[in-house]
Amino acid sequence: MVIQMKAINPTGNPTGTRHAGTHRLDARRIKKATVTAVAAASAAVLALAGCGSSSGGASSSASASSTTNFVLGGLWPETGSLASLAPPELAAEKLAVQDINDAGGVLGNPITTVDADTSDADHADQNTSATQSVLSKNPSFIIGPASSSVVKNTYKTITAQNVPMLSMGATSTSLSGVSDYFFRTVAPDSVQGAVMGNLIAQDGVQKLAIATFNDDYGTGLRDTIVKTATAAGVSIVYGETDTFDPTETNFSSIATAIKASNPDATLIIAFDQTVPLLKALVSAGVNTKKLYFVDGNTQDYSDDVDAGVLEGSKGTIPGVNPSDDFVSRLKSTGVDMKNVTTYGAETYDGIILAALAAQKGGSADGKTIQANMAAVSGSTGGEKCDSYKACLALLKDGKEIQYQGQTGIGPFNQNNDPSSANIGVYTFDASNKPVFDHTQSGDVPTE
């Protein structure tokens, strides 16, 4: 299926810097959820769909396990290779909960939260223990994890309990339609891969080297980029099938091989392995002003390599470049984001959508939320609204809604992916920081 792309002119902050840092999250206080006691037979009741009255307008019926207490579960990469992404996601959680509760909560009650650190896919035991910890609090909905690989390690456990989950950062195409209870506010790599492949070709690159770590996300994104770039006439001179271990720390041989392939440009698909790889490329004499980055490694390298080393290189980040106002609101939560905003908007919108789904369905249980997520995202049309407060008022008036949040994504499609999404394109300045250039918008394929 062809993915149609269109460029969107930059708006908001004229410099629009958005980048991910390498700092890890400081210790924080985990909030404990207040959970309503349930009857001993609740597990059996949960398996049965029932009819209930709606307190939020036309909706799918509330299930027989109807509750008005919304417990938000959060699974975050506070440690590991994606730790730099946790602060903006946690700030977004705090902001979303604050906005929901300030507007009167869900079904008249404030949201409560329970959170855990999943780390990364190299810590599968922690993926599991964090998931079990959150599930033990009977969450209505879970936001996260951010990593495709961690989602694959956890989603079956979560969705088997009829708990809907939404990832703000898992972009693997293999996750599309994986479960009726799995949603995401970020585009699958079919979109980012097409944008990056076209970007490389449009920049006049004829010979491309690729350094990719051996991870489902890494190889999947690489394959899409390769398909798009080669169709546009780009030759892959290194890395079309080669990968490196995610635990690799010495990249001298890889850098030497890339240099020997004599590429016009080099694409790096990695997480925190990027910094040592960058240093190896510099040492090997690879042209570092013609590098391409994706996702979490489109970040600030001002403290890692000499000034000007990356000037002119480019990167992509799924999602929008957040407005100055939204970034200020994230910072107001008190979470030290280290100037990182990646996936903050996607986290915020995911939580707001789940709260609206519960309100629309008249219950904060998982089945009701799952049944109403697509509708509040606009899949059935409805009146547009851009905040929880405004959307809540419409629901109470019995109206259908279409939440227009921070991400600018289209309504959920049949795979529970956004039907359209944005990819931000960034150019590195002389201080080795990525500066927002423009947005590419694309329709998300369903096959």
Side-chain angles (χ1 to χ4, degrees):
M1 179 175 293
V2 176
I3 302 174
Q4 298 179 342
M5 299 291 174
K6 60 181 180 180
I8 299 177
N9 292 329
T11 58
N13 183 357
T15 57
T17 302
R18 173 182 175 179
H19 50 268
T22 58
H23 302 274
R24 299 197 175 195
L25 182 67
D26 295 334
R28 63 187 179 81
R29 180 177 302 171
I30 296 178
K31 295 159 286 184
K32 294 183 178 179
T34 301
V35 184
T36 302
V38 294
S42 61
V45 173
L46 185 61
L48 301 174
C51 298
S53 62
S54 168
S55 64
S59 67
S60 299
S61 297
S63 74
S65 56
S66 179
T67 176
T68 58
N69 291 325
F70 190 112
V71 179
L72 173 64
L75 295 174
W76 314 106
E78 297 179 57
T79 57
S81 59
L82 285 176
S84 62
L85 300 180
E89 294 166 2
L90 285 160
E93 179 196 38
K94 290 186 70 173
L95 182 61
V97 170
Q98 174 185 309
D99 287 348
I100 292 167
N101 288 344
D102 285 351
V106 175
L107 302 170
N109 293 321
I111 285 184
T112 56
T113 61
V114 56
D115 302 295
D117 172 21
T118 56
S119 191
D120 57 28
D122 291 330
H123 297 85
D125 56 340
Q126 191 164 336
N127 301 168
T128 301
S129 62
T131 299
Q132 294 293 355
S133 175
V134 169
L135 285 174
S136 71
K137 304 300 182 182
N138 297 326
S140 306
F141 169 83
I142 289 177
I143 185 75
S147 159
S148 296
S149 295
V150 178
V151 167
K152 289 186 176 182
N153 289 343
T154 59
Y155 84 89
K156 289 182 180 179
T157 301
I158 296 169
T159 59
Q161 296 193 31
N162 294 328
V163 175
M165 62 187 295
L166 183 146
S167 178
M168 73 297 283
T171 57
S172 173
T173 55
S174 65
L175 291 173
S176 292
V178 74
S179 168
D180 289 343
Y181 280 77
F182 176 74
F183 298 81
R184 50 185 167 182
T185 47
V186 66
D189 286 326
S190 53
V191 180
Q192 182 179 202
V195 169
M196 177 55 79
N198 285 323
L199 178 65
I200 291 169
Q202 290 164 7
D203 285 348
V205 175
Q206 295 183 338
K207 297 185 295 181
L208 178 70
I210 307 174
T212 308
F213 64 161
N214 190 12
D215 173 271
D216 183 71
Y217 152 78
T219 56
L221 179 56
R222 177 201 60 191
D223 292 347
T224 302
I225 294 171
V226 167
K227 181 179 180 180
T228 305
T230 55
V234 178
S235 296
I236 311 302
V237 295
Y238 176 85
E240 186 168 3
T241 58
D242 302 284
T243 59
F244 61 83
D245 193 285
T247 61
E248 182 63 68
T249 58
N250 187 342
F251 293 93
S252 59
S253 61
I254 294 174
T256 299
I258 288 175
K259 174 65 176 178
S261 70
N262 194 31
D264 299 328
T266 302
L267 167 68
I268 300 175
I269 304 176
F271 294 146
D272 61 356
Q273 307 89 349
T274 302
V275 172
L277 176 55
L278 265 181
K279 293 179 178 179
L281 293 174
V282 171
S283 297
V286 174
N287 181 7
T288 55
K289 295 181 183 294
K290 201 68 173 177
L291 300 179
Y292 291 90
F293 301 84
V294 289
D295 274 338
N297 71 356
T298 301
Q299 63 182 28
D300 179 357
Y301 294 103
S302 58
D303 293 333
D304 301 306
V305 292
D306 293 338
V309 166
L310 300 180
E311 186 174 9
S313 288
K314 296 181 179 181
T316 54
I317 300 177
V320 296
N321 182 55
S323 67
D324 288 347
D325 177 66
F326 183 68
V327 172
S328 295
R329 297 192 69 220
L330 288 177
K331 291 180 178 179
S332 73
T333 63
V335 177
D336 184 1
M337 300 190 298
K338 309 295 184 185
N339 293 321
V340 183
T341 59
T342 304
Y343 300 138
E346 289 74 19
T347 301
Y348 179 89
D349 280 356
I351 296 170
I352 297 296
L353 283 164
L356 290 171
Q359 183 71 41
K360 176 177 172 57
S363 175
D365 70 279
K367 283 190 173 182
T368 299
I369 293 171
Q370 186 276 338
N372 288 278
M373 285 285 283
V376 297
S377 75
S379 65
T380 58
E383 190 167 338
K384 294 181 179 179
C385 47
D386 62 4
S387 69
Y388 180 77
K389 182 178 181 179
C391 292
L392 178 63
L394 292 173
L395 287 175
K396 287 183 175 180
D397 285 342
K399 296 180 179 178
E400 293 292 313
I401 64 167
Q402 184 175 168
Y403 173 62
Q404 303 282 287
Q406 299 295 321
T407 57
I409 60 173
F412 290 121
N413 62 23
Q414 66 192 42
N415 292 327
N416 293 338
D417 289 332
S419 54
S420 62
N422 303 303
I423 306 294
V425 178
Y426 299 76
T427 302
F428 283 82
D429 63 15
S431 63
N432 302 319
K433 295 179 181 180
V435 178
F436 176 69
D437 185 85
H438 69 280
T439 294
Q440 290 280 350
S441 177
D443 294 330
V444 177
T446 55
E447 296 180 358

